[in-house]
Amino acid sequence: MASKQKRIAVIGAGAAGMSCASTLAKHQKFNVTLIDCAAQTGGQATSLDLDASKHGASWLNDGVQGGSSIFKHTFKLFHDQGYSAQEVKLQVSFGKGSDSFFTNVFPSRLVDQFQNEISKFGRVLKIIKYGFPVFGILPIKVLLKLFRFSTEFGNKMLLPLVALFLGTGNQTPNVAGGLLERLFGDPQMRLWVFDREGLVSGLPVMYTFPRLGQFYADWRRDLEMRKGVRVLLGMEVEVLRRDGAGVVLGMRTQDGQQVEEEFDEMVLCTPADESLKILGRHATWKEKWVLGGVKFFDDVTITHSDAGYFNSVFETKARDELCAAATTTEREEQLAFARAASTCEEDGWTGFNPMYFTHSYGSEQDKIEMGFDCSNYQHQFRESVGVGNRPYPPDQHVYQTIFLDKQRQDLWTWDAIDKDKIIGQKWWHQFGHRWQHYLRVVPGMMFINGKNRTLFAGAWTLVNMHEIACVSGIAAAYRLGANYDEFDDFATGLFSKYLLACHGVRYRREDRKHT
């Protein structure tokens, strides 16, 4: 006689929720319901429609855009639905003006100015590595003062670099030093090997994602039609009861209809503050303590085609006044590449065509504005131009400008963007990677995960990356009894580390044989 299916409610249909539901759906012992208040799946992984006649592409990923080679689970999920990520050689541009600018593409005057501090930074990275966890938990702003770095080095070089890679924005000074060391010291996580002369140099490989709105829609259809997952969208949720008998959820549609339904277990794949709201008075003191330690900030992304504005706040061309002297053969080659005529290649561009940008505000140097030249970054624009051809003129490019922290709108210059050239505007609810997060939230996750018929998943449980969101969802499914399907040694290692850190559970290879 077949055993009774376990009823699982997965709340939140972003990367974590979809990964969790997909993993559970591989087993007939689970009856899975995926619920989200939004009208579509994908969470922050959304896409915008574009006028291809103006911009050379018919779509744009306007939330999540890409990742590094460590995104093994993400790439596997893409492959399972017939999608793939595309390689691109990363070019970045930090700062505005010759006294603030540096890049990974060619040597700048700023790099020469801070040569001694760059060399010292390399030594400090070793101290952080071997002095962990004492130095690893200290915020970057404390480390900079402790090791007597200048304020200018921190504001102009180090903070922008970390902010861009981790998406930590204005909270970068509060990021734990251990993450800083990992960005340079972890062979799998790092983009650049530390360069004692240039801090960062070379063109590392990144991956730009396929059309995420379509990918998540196809993934949803696969879950519904082939995997038997029930998907309920546009549905507000609250916990009405949670005890030894199960979990009762109250669900309300956008037109006001209300239903109650009982489940055996639930997985909250929602932001920490939203999870607390859903739990309401049923939240335990441990859940309140851990989830309440996650600090969120509201940021806005303006997608536009205002090249005049973008060029006025970021450095987009290899101007002579930005370049350092060509004192070595390597520098000569870097400068020659940067000044070369721009042409399209399969994995990026020749010449200086940066994709990621930051600049600091004049009144507060530790606060930044971020930007993307999506036409230089996302692969669909290169495909439209064709290998060997030159990119579209700047006024046909699609840009994104990201203004950080709604509480500091006094710094924002978004009114300067031509309103007639705005394509879209979206607000994002992002958590800050503060040192407190790694002292309170991450260590506390194992004490609430799997308790009271509830598991938690989402990038906020560790690091703000699409890959971590996927791993967190798979880990929650594993805790409920699903298999972890090994396909790559590094992916298995990452899954194992996450499972131990956020669930306090060791991954056992023999579990993969369970059905």
Side-chain angles (χ1 to χ4, degrees):
M1 181 176 178
S3 60
K4 180 182 178 181
Q5 285 186 314
K6 184 179 290 188
R7 297 161 298 175
I8 309 295
V10 179
I11 304 172
M18 295 287 283
S19 298
C20 182
S22 182
T23 305
L24 291 170
K26 295 177 182 178
H27 304 270
Q28 294 184 356
K29 61 184 176 182
F30 299 114
N31 183 320
V32 184
T33 299
L34 179 64
I35 310 165
D36 200 294
C37 61
Q40 70 286 323
T41 53
Q44 294 189 1
T46 57
S47 304
L48 272 176
D49 292 330
L50 297 176
D51 184 340
S53 65
K54 288 183 180 180
H55 306 297
S58 60
W59 60 273
L60 170 84
N61 287 330
D62 64 334
V64 182
Q65 298 196 45
S68 69
S69 60
I70 73 169
F71 283 42
K72 304 291 187 180
H73 296 88
T74 298
F75 299 156
K76 175 68 162 53
L77 293 167
F78 287 161
H79 180 269
D80 290 345
Q81 298 300 321
Y83 290 80
S84 62
Q86 302 295 320
E87 286 190 12
V88 59
K89 290 181 178 178
L90 179 64
Q91 298 191 27
V92 296
S93 172
F94 298 105
K96 179 65 177 177
S98 58
D99 63 339
S100 301
F101 168 81
F102 77 103
T103 178
N104 64 307
V105 182
F106 60 89
S108 68
R109 296 181 181 183
L110 190 70
V111 166
D112 286 351
Q113 176 186 339
F114 289 120
Q115 188 62 69
N116 291 336
E117 292 195 80
I118 291 173
S119 296
K120 182 169 74 170
F121 177 67
R123 298 191 293 271
V124 170
L125 286 175
K126 294 180 180 179
I127 294 174
I128 297 173
K129 178 179 180 179
Y130 294 109
F132 194 89
V134 176
F135 290 109
I137 202 64
L138 291 177
I140 291 176
K141 64 183 179 183
V142 172
L143 290 171
L144 289 172
K145 290 182 179 179
L146 181 64
F147 292 102
R148 302 178 67 83
F149 287 99
S150 68
T151 301
E152 290 77 13
F153 172 74
N155 288 343
K156 293 181 178 182
M157 297 203 76
L158 197 57
L159 297 183
L161 183 64
V162 178
L164 201 59
F165 185 77
L166 288 179
T168 48
N170 292 339
Q171 291 304 306
T172 305
N174 298 314
V175 169
L179 277 180
L180 175 65
E181 192 278 327
R182 293 292 82 193
L183 291 181
F184 288 94
D186 189 324
Q188 300 293 341
M189 184 177 181
R190 68 190 179 198
L191 276 179
W192 291 282
V193 176
F194 171 73
D195 184 342
R196 64 189 307 270
E197 293 186 356
L199 186 58
V200 292
S201 62
L203 304 175
V205 173
M206 289 281 284
Y207 293 85
T208 178
F209 289 171
R211 187 171 185 168
L212 291 176
Q214 185 174 318
F215 161 71
Y216 272 96
D218 288 348
W219 195 5
R220 170 198 169 182
R221 282 190 289 271
D222 180 64
L223 290 178
E224 287 184 303
M225 300 176 67
R226 297 183 57 222
K227 306 294 176 51
V229 174
R230 181 173 57 142
V231 180
L232 304 177
L233 300 178
M235 193 80 71
E236 298 286 346
V237 181
E238 64 175 330
V239 174
L240 299 180
R241 193 193 79 219
R242 185 174 59 152
D243 53 31
V247 178
V248 177
L249 297 179
M251 296 179 283
R252 184 175 63 254
T253 63
Q254 293 179 345
D255 59 6
Q257 296 182 2
Q258 298 188 37
V259 296
E260 293 182 12
E261 191 164 344
E262 185 171 357
F263 299 89
D264 295 303
E265 308 275 352
M266 70 174 173
V267 186
L268 287 170
C269 303
T270 48
D273 53 353
E274 182 64 22
S275 295
L276 280 175
K277 181 180 177 182
I278 292 170
L279 289 170
R281 63 185 179 84
H282 300 281
T284 66
W285 71 267
K286 289 183 180 179
E287 290 169 336
K288 291 177 181 178
W289 168 254
V290 175
L291 303 184
V294 185
K295 179 68 173 177
F296 287 90
F297 299 87
D298 294 316
D299 310 326
V300 65
T301 296
I302 309 293
T303 303
H304 62 92
S305 59
D306 190 346
Y309 172 81
F310 204 80
N311 291 330
S312 72
V313 296
F314 299 119
E315 294 293 354
T316 60
K317 300 183 183 301
R319 299 183 290 117
D320 288 342
E321 54 266 37
L322 302 176
C323 302
T327 54
T328 65
T329 301
E330 183 181 10
R331 282 191 164 195
E332 289 178 355
E333 293 174 350
Q334 291 172 338
L335 290 167
F337 173 85
R339 290 165 171 158
S342 298
T343 55
C344 175
E345 302 296 335
E346 290 185 0
D347 58 359
W349 306 92
T350 60
F352 183 53
N353 292 277
M355 303 140 188
Y356 288 65
F357 301 79
T358 69
H359 82 87
S360 298
Y361 293 108
S363 58
E364 295 189 42
Q365 289 289 307
D366 62 341
K367 303 293 188 298
I368 66 170
E369 176 181 323
M370 299 174 61
F372 295 90
D373 185 332
C374 300
S375 298
N376 284 348
Y377 183 27
Q378 296 187 26
H379 65 273
Q380 68 271 23
F381 295 97
R382 296 199 309 276
E383 291 173 354
S384 67
V385 171
V387 175
N389 293 316
R390 295 191 176 187
Y392 287 99
D395 60 358
Q396 290 183 261
H397 279 217
V398 179
Y399 306 100
Q400 285 190 322
T401 303
I402 304 172
F403 297 99
L404 303 167
D405 191 358
K406 188 177 181 180
Q407 303 303 316
R408 294 308 314 271
Q409 292 188 44
D410 56 299
L411 296 172
W412 295 0
T413 57
W414 58 346
D415 289 338
I417 300 175
D418 187 339
K419 291 180 175 53
D420 292 334
K421 296 182 179 180
I422 292 178
I423 300 169
Q425 174 178 312
K426 284 190 178 178
W427 286 89
W428 310 101
H429 196 53
Q430 307 278 16
F431 85 94
H433 298 68
R434 306 179 307 156
W435 65 272
Q436 297 97 324
H437 192 84
Y438 298 94
L439 191 64
R440 173 177 170 180
V441 179
V442 176
M445 289 305 302
M446 69 175 68
F447 298 103
I448 63 172
N449 257 324
K451 312 296 183 182
N452 303 297
R453 297 184 175 271
T454 305
L455 289 139
F456 300 89
W460 61 268
T461 59
L462 192 61
V463 181
N464 188 24
M465 293 180 180
H466 189 274
E467 176 70 0
I468 295 300
C470 294
V471 171
S472 72
I474 297 169
Y478 177 85
R479 287 295 309 279
L480 290 169
N483 292 346
Y484 175 72
D485 296 328
E486 295 186 17
F487 63 95
D488 176 270
D489 288 342
F490 174 77
T492 301
L494 179 61
F495 172 80
S496 301
K497 292 174 183 176
Y498 178 90
L499 190 67
L500 182 61
C502 292
H503 291 265
V505 172
R506 292 188 180 278
Y507 170 62
R508 300 182 302 171
R509 286 182 176 270
E510 58 266 28
D511 287 348
R512 66 189 176 190
K513 300 176 183 178
H514 293 177
T515 57

